[in-house]
Amino acid sequence: MDTTTIVIFFAVIVLASVGLIVLSQMRERAKLERARKVTALEDSYNRTNRLLNEIPGQYLTADLKLLLLTRLEEICSELASFKTQLPAAQWLNEARQMKQKVVEGEDQRAPLKIDSAEKSAYVKELLQSLFKLIESLHKNRRIDSAVAKKNLKYVLFLVHKTHADLHVFQAREFIRQNQLRKAIHAYHMASTELSKSSDNPLALKAVKSFRTRIKELEAQMADGSTGDSSDKQHRMDKEWDSFLHDDEWKKKADYDE
């Protein structure tokens, strides 16, 4: 075997080795990229499912539930294409069943009382995550501008509503303790929060109701009477508790009109 043949022989071996190394690296990169995509999808599923199940029932309109469930369906379908050990098919089936319930008006959820600063902060965190999700869906062209705008306005209103809920709870407690001045301040704070959503008819009605209650409490302080406080407070409490989970209210939540 002459020198040229030997050189060619070793060159072929080197090239083959390099080719095998490159192929192996490409496969490893593809494997890592696949694992990254699966992890990202699983995380996205968990975040979306958390929003669907942990945002207070009185806050989620049918439109928001359907938006979240549609996103869950998309994620599950993508996960199923990777043929992982995750129960993507089961998750997809559950999302579709829940979606059917929402469409038929059978998905009823108990409201959550916002009675502490911790609960208010936690719900605010969930709502901020929902806001970012809607922005992302719009950016990625999964929902159109009109749907994004409507839902973003509503979620922003809910953030203000969460703070107002806490102030209303505090006002109720102050009234029970006959601390009317503190109750008035709490109602002022609730009114201030909802005034931030001045383009929302729900917020405007609530602000009007708060101002009426403030005047009633101021009148009580002026004449020292507490006789009708209980009845008026009961009326106010009932009105506020049914504020978001009453069907007629939700029908009015179209802010683009």
Side-chain angles (χ1 to χ4, degrees), residues 9 20 28-29 64-65 72 77 125 127 170 177 194:
F9 176 76
L20 288 173
E28 186 63 24
R29 279 197 294 268
L64 283 175
K65 290 177 187 176
L72 286 176
S77 295
E125 176 192 332
L127 292 171
Q170 292 170 335
Q177 298 164 17
L194 286 185

Side-chain angles (χ1 to χ4, degrees), residues 39-49 71-72 75 133:
T39 299
L41 286 169
E42 184 180 8
D43 289 344
S44 183
Y45 174 87
N46 290 332
R47 286 195 303 270
T48 306
N49 196 50
R71 180 58 187 145
L72 286 176
I75 294 169
L133 173 61

Side-chain angles (χ1 to χ4, degrees), residues 59 114-125 127-128 155-171 186-194 196 210 240:
Y59 286 10
I114 308 298
D115 54 7
S116 70
E118 290 75 20
K119 279 187 182 179
S120 178
Y122 181 64
V123 172
K124 180 182 177 181
E125 176 192 332
L127 292 171
Q128 288 173 332
V155 173
L156 188 58
F157 156 67
L158 290 180
V159 172
H160 301 148
K161 169 71 167 56
T162 300
H163 292 300
D165 273 334
L166 177 59
H167 293 308
V168 168
F169 175 80
Q170 292 170 335
Y187 277 128
H188 272 301
M189 294 297 291
S191 179
T192 299
E193 282 298 329
L194 286 185
K196 296 174 183 177
F210 291 149
W240 183 251

Side-chain angles (χ1 to χ4, degrees), residues 10 12 17 26 45 48 54 60 89 110 118-119 129-130 145 151 156 163 171-172 185 195 197 218 223 250 252:
F10 281 108
V12 170
S17 299
M26 289 176 63
Y45 174 87
T48 306
E54 296 186 24
L60 286 178
E118 290 75 20
K119 279 187 182 179
S129 294
L130 177 58
S145 296
N151 284 292
L156 188 58
H163 292 300
R172 292 177 180 180
H185 177 70
S195 293
S197 288
E218 287 174 339
D223 61 20
K250 289 183 179 180
K252 296 177 184 177

Side-chain angles (χ1 to χ4, degrees), residues 132-146:
K132 291 178 182 178
L133 173 61
I134 296 171
E135 284 186 320
S136 175
L137 293 175
H138 179 230
K139 182 179 179 180
N140 294 321
R141 299 183 179 180
R142 295 183 182 273
I143 57 175
D144 61 35
S145 296

Side-chain angles (χ1 to χ4, degrees), residues 2-250:
D2 59 26
T3 303
T4 302
T5 303
I6 292 173
V7 170
I8 293 173
F9 176 76
F10 281 108
V12 170
I13 291 176
V14 170
L15 289 173
S17 299
V18 171
L20 288 173
I21 292 171
V22 171
L23 181 60
S24 176
Q25 289 178 337
M26 289 176 63
R27 286 179 175 175
E28 186 63 24
R29 279 197 294 268
K31 183 179 179 181
L32 291 173
E33 179 62 15
R34 179 181 182 278
R36 186 195 65 77
K37 288 181 178 179
V38 169
T39 299
L41 286 169
E42 184 180 8
D43 289 344
S44 183
Y45 174 87
N46 290 332
R47 286 195 303 270
T48 306
N49 196 50
R50 176 185 174 221
L51 296 178
L52 180 65
N53 290 289
E54 296 186 24
I55 290 177
Q58 71 268 30
Y59 286 10
L60 286 178
T61 61
D63 284 347
L64 283 175
K65 290 177 187 176
L66 291 174
L67 185 149
L68 290 170
L69 287 164
T70 297
R71 180 58 187 145
L72 286 176
E73 287 180 320
E74 293 171 350
I75 294 169
C76 292
S77 295
E78 289 185 62
L79 275 173
S81 69
F82 285 101
K83 296 181 173 58
T84 68
Q85 294 183 344
L86 294 171
Q90 177 186 331
W91 290 346
L92 179 58
N93 185 52
E94 290 172 353
R96 286 174 175 169
Q97 289 178 354
M98 179 65 72
K99 193 173 186 178
Q100 187 63 31
K101 285 185 177 181
V102 173
V103 170
E104 295 174 355
E106 296 179 357
D107 181 47
Q108 303 299 324
R109 304 179 185 215
L112 173 70
K113 182 179 290 187
I114 308 298
D115 54 7
S116 70
E118 290 75 20
K119 279 187 182 179
S120 178
Y122 181 64
V123 172
K124 180 182 177 181
E125 176 192 332
L126 292 173
L127 292 171
Q128 288 173 332
S129 294
L130 177 58
F131 193 93
K132 291 178 182 178
L133 173 61
I134 296 171
E135 284 186 320
S136 175
L137 293 175
H138 179 230
K139 182 179 179 180
N140 294 321
R141 299 183 179 180
R142 295 183 182 273
I143 57 175
D144 61 35
S145 296
V147 171
K149 180 181 178 181
K150 176 181 176 180
N151 284 292
L152 287 173
K153 280 188 176 182
Y154 183 67
V155 173
L156 188 58
F157 156 67
L158 290 180
V159 172
H160 301 148
K161 169 71 167 56
T162 300
H163 292 300
D165 273 334
L166 177 59
H167 293 308
V168 168
F169 175 80
Q170 292 170 335
R172 292 177 180 180
E173 292 301 305
F174 287 136
I175 289 172
R176 291 189 183 97
Q177 298 164 17
N178 202 30
Q179 299 183 53
L180 301 189
R181 193 175 301 280
K182 289 184 178 180
I184 289 171
H185 177 70
Y187 277 128
H188 272 301
M189 294 297 291
S191 179
T192 299
E193 282 298 329
L194 286 185
S195 293
K196 296 174 183 177
S197 288
S198 58
D199 60 346
N200 185 309
L202 299 178
L204 292 178
K205 179 163 184 175
V207 168
K208 183 179 179 181
S209 180
F210 291 149
R211 289 173 179 170
T212 298
R213 188 64 181 126
I214 288 170
K215 289 180 180 179
E216 292 171 351
L217 293 173
E218 287 174 339
Q220 284 180 233
M221 287 183 61
D223 61 20
S225 115
T226 58
D228 62 351
S229 176
S230 178
D231 290 340
K232 289 182 178 179
Q233 188 60 37
H234 178 72
R235 167 184 57 77
M236 180 80 175
D237 290 352
K238 185 176 180 180
E239 182 178 292
W240 183 251
D241 288 341
S242 63
F243 184 60
L244 281 185
H245 46 89
D246 183 282
D247 289 340
E248 289 304 312
W249 277 114
K250 289 183 179 180

